């Protein structure tokens, strides 16, 4: 085929593909960081989506999505892969509890009334969820995995964590909530309707973000449960260190002033002896790799080790019963 004809065929194929999958492309663009690129992408895709909808080409891709087990009309944000189903809402509303003003002890679990542990946050939390059941004993602990990739507190228009946390409290009634998020929050803060609240890089961004962290933690403890806020670890990319340390400072500050909330420091726990990034961890004269190749996440050994340390920390802070996790 002549080069010119091949080029035309490629262009036509790309155009047809764009028309067919315009709604999916728009969803991906909506999930992107606030900025010129996202604004232009949404502006360019809007008329394409209109055409796709009105000539009913979207019906074709929607049918394909349903055949693959996905809901094409699901709300934007936080894929549901690996998410545990929450219990149904109780038919009788729980009695209102008095506001907690100081740390309380965690209840003792039994075979008949297991401890309920919910894990929330972004892809780091999703990783924790997969390996939490290696640490917690199923006889005494019921784990609800709720980590959702690409989510955070900056973009409730993409995934609204405060609303979801309230649902978790109402339905799962967690005794312990493990929070690990913030990896995706290095961007402007938006309202649920997509309007900008505070742009990234401004002096006021930190205080607005701290308000969101405090609100989220307050919701998580509103049913009488306890929260371990797991800080972000250092990463291979040193260019992100300053911002991550600012975030960790906010998480620690909120945990220090709220009852039943404690902050677990992963940065210093897993840093190299000189304070830098290390993919390895030395324990009892043994060295093992604990970080994934992307320099951000943990591997299976790392997530398991992290969960072991978090369980011990919960025992120190809130008297989590050792029988729930000790071998």
């Amino acid at each position: 085929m002549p080069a010119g004809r091949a080029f035309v065929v490629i262009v036509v194929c790309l155009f047809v593909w764009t028309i067919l999958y315009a709604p999916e492309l728009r969803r991906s663009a909506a999930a992107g960081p606030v900025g010129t690129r996202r604004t232009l992408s949404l502006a360019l895709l809007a008329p394409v989506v209109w055409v796709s909808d009105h000539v009913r080409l979207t019906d074709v891709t929607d049918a394909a999505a349903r055949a693959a087990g996905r809901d094409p009309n699901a709300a934007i944000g936080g894929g549901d892969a690996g998410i545990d189903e929450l219990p149904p809402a109780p038919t009788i509303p729980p009695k209102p509890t008095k506001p907690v003003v100081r740390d309380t002890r965690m209840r003792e679990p039994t075979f008949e009334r297991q401890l309920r542990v919910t894990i929330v946050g972004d892809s780091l939390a999703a990783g924790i969820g997969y390996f939490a059941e290696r640490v917690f004993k199923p006889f005494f602990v019921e784990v609800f995995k709720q980590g959702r990739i690409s989510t955070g507190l900056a973009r409730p228009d993409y995934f609204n964590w405060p609303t979801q946390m309230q649902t978790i409290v109402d339905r799962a009634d967690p005794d312990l909530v493990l929070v690990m998020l913030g990896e995706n929050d290095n961007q402007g803060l938006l309202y649920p309707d997509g309007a900008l609240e505070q742009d990234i890089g401004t002096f006021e961004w930190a205080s607005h973000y701290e308000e969101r962290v405090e609100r989220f933690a307050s919701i998580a403890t509103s049913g009488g449960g306890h929260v371990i806020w797991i800080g972000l670890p250092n990463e291979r990319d040193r260019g992100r260190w300053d911002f991550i340390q600012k975030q960790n400072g906010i998480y620690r500050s909120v945990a220090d002033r709220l009852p039943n909330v404690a902050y677990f420091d992963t940065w210093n726990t897993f840093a190299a002896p000189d304070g830098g990034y290390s993919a390895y961890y030395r324990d009892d004269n043994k060295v093992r790799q604990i970080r994934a190749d992307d320099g951000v996440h943990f591997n299976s050994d790392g997530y398991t080790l992290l969960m072991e340390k978090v369980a011990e920390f919960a025992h120190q802070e809130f008297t989590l019963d050792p029988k729930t996790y000790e071998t």
Side-chain angles (χ1 to χ4, degrees):
M1 182 183 296
R5 184 178 298 177
F7 176 76
V8 171
V9 170
I10 292 171
V11 170
V12 170
C13 289
L14 287 173
F15 177 75
V16 172
W17 178 83
T18 301
I19 291 289
L20 285 171
Y21 289 94
E24 290 289 338
L25 293 173
R26 183 178 61 178
R27 287 165 65 90
S28 296
V34 177
T36 303
R37 180 177 178 179
R38 175 178 179 270
T39 302
L40 289 176
S41 297
L42 291 174
L44 291 173
L45 286 168
V48 182
V49 171
W50 186 90
V51 171
S52 180
D53 286 342
H54 281 72
V55 300
R56 307 194 68 81
L57 286 176
T58 304
D59 293 348
V60 177
T61 54
D62 284 357
R66 292 190 181 94
R70 295 186 295 108
D71 180 4
N73 298 313
I76 293 175
D80 59 3
I83 305 297
D84 289 332
E85 184 176 353
L86 295 171
T91 55
I92 302 176
K95 295 180 180 179
T97 58
K98 295 181 180 179
V100 177
V101 296
R102 58 185 177 84
D103 289 350
T104 61
R105 294 171 61 92
M106 197 172 297
R107 70 175 177 86
E108 182 180 355
T110 64
F111 287 111
E112 295 77 20
R113 189 167 176 240
Q114 296 172 304
L115 208 69
R116 292 188 165 192
V117 176
T118 303
I119 300 163
V120 302
D122 54 28
S123 57
L124 286 163
I128 291 175
Y130 281 115
F131 296 96
E133 291 166 330
R134 286 189 180 184
V135 176
F136 290 116
K137 294 182 179 179
F139 299 112
F140 297 110
V141 177
E142 184 176 13
V143 175
F144 294 97
K145 299 185 289 291
Q146 294 290 303
R148 298 172 183 267
I149 61 173
S150 301
T151 63
L153 296 180
R155 296 286 305 281
D157 63 312
Y158 175 67
F159 186 81
N160 194 321
W161 263 119
T163 297
Q164 179 64 18
M165 191 67 248
Q166 187 63 65
T167 299
I168 291 170
V169 169
D170 293 340
R171 294 177 58 178
D173 188 23
D175 298 283
L176 177 62
V177 179
L178 305 182
V179 182
M180 195 172 192
L181 53 71
E183 182 64 32
N184 306 300
D185 284 341
N186 187 6
Q187 57 179 301
L189 305 178
L190 268 61
Y191 291 110
D193 64 0
L196 181 65
E197 175 186 342
Q198 194 65 49
D199 204 357
I200 189 70
T202 62
F203 178 78
E204 294 83 5
W205 186 95
S207 62
H208 284 250
Y209 186 69
E210 186 164 342
E211 290 174 2
R212 295 189 178 206
V213 171
E214 182 165 348
R215 180 189 173 208
F216 182 78
S218 297
I219 293 172
T221 58
S222 61
H226 300 72
V227 168
I228 301 294
W229 198 296
I230 305 171
L232 297 174
N234 63 354
E235 301 179 0
R236 183 186 297 129
D237 180 7
R238 296 181 67 95
R240 287 181 49 82
W241 282 18
D242 286 347
F243 189 80
I244 292 174
Q245 288 177 323
K246 179 188 297 184
Q247 289 177 284
N248 284 340
I250 290 173
Y251 305 147
R252 184 189 295 275
S253 177
V254 169
D256 285 345
R257 66 174 176 265
L258 290 185
N260 283 349
V261 181
Y263 173 79
F264 180 79
D265 179 10
T266 62
W267 186 287
N268 292 309
T269 300
F270 299 112
D274 63 357
Y277 171 83
S278 176
Y280 298 88
Y281 184 80
R282 181 181 295 276
D283 187 18
D284 296 330
N285 297 320
K286 293 186 297 184
V287 177
R288 49 179 162 160
Q289 183 173 348
I290 61 167
R291 303 297 291 271
D293 292 338
D294 63 6
V296 176
H297 297 82
F298 293 85
N299 61 17
S300 58
D301 285 343
Y303 280 122
T304 302
L305 175 64
L306 173 57
M307 280 307 309
E308 291 171 349
K309 290 186 174 296
V310 167
E312 293 171 356
F313 182 72
H315 169 68
Q316 297 168 9
E317 295 292 321
F318 304 127
T319 63
L320 172 67
D321 197 322
K323 71 184 179 185
T324 61
Y325 62 91
E326 285 188 347
T327 57

